[in-house]
């Protein structure tokens, strides 16, 4: 069963907001390891949101 369109939009909006928060935190981090961890997490979340968006739009080919 697929999610209703509004739920998907809300989920994507939350994911994108979290990605921006992580990027901002990475910019402010003083520890290089923490900065890298935050950037990696932001990148994974951004990739996931692109994939979810593509699936919601009916694209059958996942983003690589």
């Amino acid at each position: 069963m697929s999610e209703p369109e509004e739920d998907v939009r809300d989920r994507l909006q939350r994911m994108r907001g979290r990605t921006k928060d992580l990027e901002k935190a990475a910019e402010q981090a003083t520890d290089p390891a923490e900065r890298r961890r935050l950037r990696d997490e932001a990148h994974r979340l951004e990739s996931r949101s692109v994939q979810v968006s593509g699936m919601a739009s009916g694209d059958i080919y996942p983003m690589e």
Side-chain angles (χ1 to χ4, degrees):
M1 182 180 284
S2 64
E3 290 181 79
E5 192 173 317
E6 187 174 310
D7 290 346
V8 172
R9 271 195 302 259
D10 291 343
R11 182 174 167 209
L12 285 169
Q13 187 174 10
R14 285 192 309 273
M15 291 171 79
R16 291 175 181 144
R18 177 71 176 138
T19 299
K20 287 180 184 179
D21 291 344
L22 288 167
E23 289 170 347
K24 188 174 183 177
E27 289 174 11
Q28 297 172 351
T30 56
D31 179 38
E34 179 69 2
R35 184 179 307 125
R36 175 98 173 141
R37 184 190 72 77
L38 290 167
R39 284 185 178 151
D40 288 348
E41 188 176 341
H43 179 71
R44 282 191 299 273
L45 190 55
E46 181 179 9
S47 294
R48 181 71 181 134
S49 70
V50 167
Q51 185 179 28
V52 169
S53 178
M55 289 171 33
S57 71
D59 189 355
I60 62 169
Y61 300 104
M63 299 297 288
E64 295 184 289

